[in-house]
Amino acid sequence: METLNVLGKFNGKRLDNFPALQHNNLFKRIRENFHFELFLKGGHMLFSPFYLTLRGEAFPELTGFIAQNEEFLDSLKDFIINTLFVYSAVVEENANYLVNEQDVLIGRLRYHDHSRFEVKFYSHYQDELQSAYNDKIYLGRIFIDLKKFEKEHLGLHEYFNSILEQNAKIQERAIHKLRYYDDYKKPYLDEIDYLAREVHGEAVERIKLLPKGDLRSAPTVTLIESIDNLLHLQNLMVELRDFTLEFESKLRLGEETNYVKYLFKFSKDLINDIKYLSKLYYLISNKVSKYSIV
């Protein structure tokens, strides 16, 4: 119920603290087929784009909230979609799961604190939402603060802190989920732990060197230095990604199915984050070069 309480503090009013963007057809389709998923009363509840309950049992407080907050929820969708466009590469990296007319995007909101949420994204086929919901495909995650759209340092702190948090989770889950934990600990889990900490430590220092706010007014020399730092972080993340994918393949060969799904989400987020760094690299490079192909 904490999620409803936080969202209810906006009193049903539309969010207006984010930019109005002109989207391409893919983002427009995602917006039209966006399904909210909220964690309420100990379970995940799924809602259609028109806020009809598709999974989970509705209750009076929820019914009342939806009746009074449709405009707010519409603006929340736009806030999330625009954050995906500006501060992530989840859609670009996973376009093949989203281009079909039957593909829907599910956004699972998990409350963190104050007005901040983590949003995890899944794709599914429209006709199978009811019959095979557990077959949905994990696409990635973003972080939002409903009080503020703009992110300091391009939101990179959130992604690199998440890597460290997820590393702790996969290390803990390995103890309980792997059948042959001792066989995997030293050659794989310990190395992932080392690489994740190295990436996070480097990121903390390198992000400090990036402009804190809007890059549009940053001096050219600062932008060039930012490109160098982004490339350095990307190279470290590629090493962590490649090693994680190698471990994932080893687990699949060993039929460690109870654990591999957790590692898959970790590697998926790494892939998305690398794509986002590449996206930033090209945007900043175009600005530095003062040349545009359009």
Side-chain angles (χ1 to χ4, degrees):
M1 294 300 292
E2 195 168 27
T3 297
L4 285 189
N5 291 336
V6 173
L7 298 180
K9 291 180 179 179
F10 292 88
N11 299 314
K13 298 178 181 178
R14 293 186 63 86
L15 296 170
D16 59 4
N17 57 344
F18 60 94
L21 303 178
Q22 180 65 44
H23 288 303
N24 58 40
N25 288 334
L26 176 58
F27 274 85
K28 288 178 181 177
R29 184 182 299 116
I30 289 170
R31 169 62 172 78
E32 293 169 358
N33 294 317
F34 189 94
H35 289 58
F36 275 116
E37 187 182 88
L38 304 179
F39 187 75
L40 303 170
K41 290 193 171 183
H44 293 287
M45 300 190 65
L46 181 69
F47 303 90
S48 76
F50 301 103
Y51 313 118
L52 300 176
T53 304
L54 300 180
R55 289 180 62 85
E57 293 292 331
F59 49 91
E61 296 93 334
L62 174 61
T63 303
F65 172 81
I66 290 176
Q68 298 171 19
N69 285 272
E70 287 197 19
E71 285 194 16
F72 165 75
L73 291 170
D74 283 345
S75 69
L76 177 55
K77 283 183 189 178
D78 290 328
F79 192 105
I80 292 171
I81 296 300
N82 287 6
T83 302
L84 278 170
F85 183 83
V86 176
Y87 290 113
S88 89
V90 170
V91 171
E92 293 91 332
E93 180 61 35
N94 297 283
N96 57 313
Y97 295 113
L98 299 166
V99 295
N100 191 289
E101 289 185 359
Q102 279 284 323
D103 293 332
V104 302
L105 182 69
I106 300 165
R108 175 184 290 177
L109 270 71
R110 291 301 298 262
Y111 175 66
H112 273 202
D113 54 39
H114 303 293
S115 55
R116 294 192 288 265
F117 290 81
E118 178 184 24
V119 189
K120 291 187 175 182
F121 297 99
Y122 300 82
S123 70
H124 211 325
Y125 205 64
Q126 179 73 58
D127 290 344
E128 298 178 356
L129 275 174
Q130 300 284 0
S131 61
Y133 187 66
N134 290 336
D135 292 339
K136 60 187 180 297
I137 300 170
Y138 178 70
L139 302 183
R141 85 291 191 225
I142 61 171
F143 305 89
I144 59 173
D145 183 342
L146 298 185
K147 294 291 183 66
K148 182 182 180 182
F149 179 81
E150 291 76 17
K151 295 180 179 293
E152 295 181 356
H153 300 298
L154 303 168
L156 292 175
H157 272 300
E158 295 169 326
Y159 290 123
F160 284 102
N161 287 339
S162 177
I163 288 174
L164 202 60
E165 292 168 1
Q166 290 181 82
N167 171 58
K169 289 180 180 178
I170 65 172
Q171 297 291 335
E172 176 64 24
R173 284 169 173 159
I175 297 172
H176 304 287
K177 299 292 184 179
L178 283 174
R179 293 178 300 165
Y180 304 107
Y181 173 77
D182 291 338
D183 292 344
Y184 296 113
K185 185 180 185 308
K186 186 174 182 180
Y188 291 104
L189 289 164
D190 286 354
E191 183 65 15
I192 286 178
D193 183 63
Y194 170 79
L195 292 173
R197 292 176 185 276
E198 180 185 32
V199 167
H200 179 264
E202 283 283 327
V204 168
E205 297 304 317
R206 297 271 177 169
I207 290 172
K208 293 177 183 177
L209 304 176
L210 301 176
K212 187 175 182 180
D214 195 340
L215 269 67
R216 285 174 290 189
S217 58
T220 299
V221 64
T222 301
L223 295 177
I224 292 174
E225 291 174 355
S226 297
I227 291 171
D228 292 341
N229 287 313
L230 290 174
L231 287 175
H232 180 77
L233 293 177
Q234 181 176 312
N235 290 338
L236 290 176
M237 291 189 69
V238 166
E239 183 181 1
L240 175 57
R241 177 206 62 190
D242 289 348
F243 191 82
T244 303
L245 290 175
E246 178 186 337
F247 184 28
E248 189 178 324
S249 297
K250 186 77 172 180
L251 290 170
R252 293 187 188 281
L253 288 173
E255 298 184 349
E256 292 280 3
T257 55
N258 287 334
Y259 177 72
V260 74
K261 62 181 179 181
Y262 300 111
L263 197 68
F264 168 77
K265 289 184 177 180
F266 182 61
S267 62
K268 187 66 174 176
D269 288 338
L270 292 174
I271 291 169
N272 291 337
D273 295 347
I274 291 169
K275 185 81 168 186
Y276 180 49
L277 291 176
S278 296
K279 180 178 176 178
L280 293 175
Y281 165 80
Y282 287 117
L283 289 172
I284 298 173
S285 294
N286 283 341
K287 180 174 175 58
V288 168
S289 68
K290 295 182 171 61
Y291 178 80
S292 176
I293 62 173
V294 295

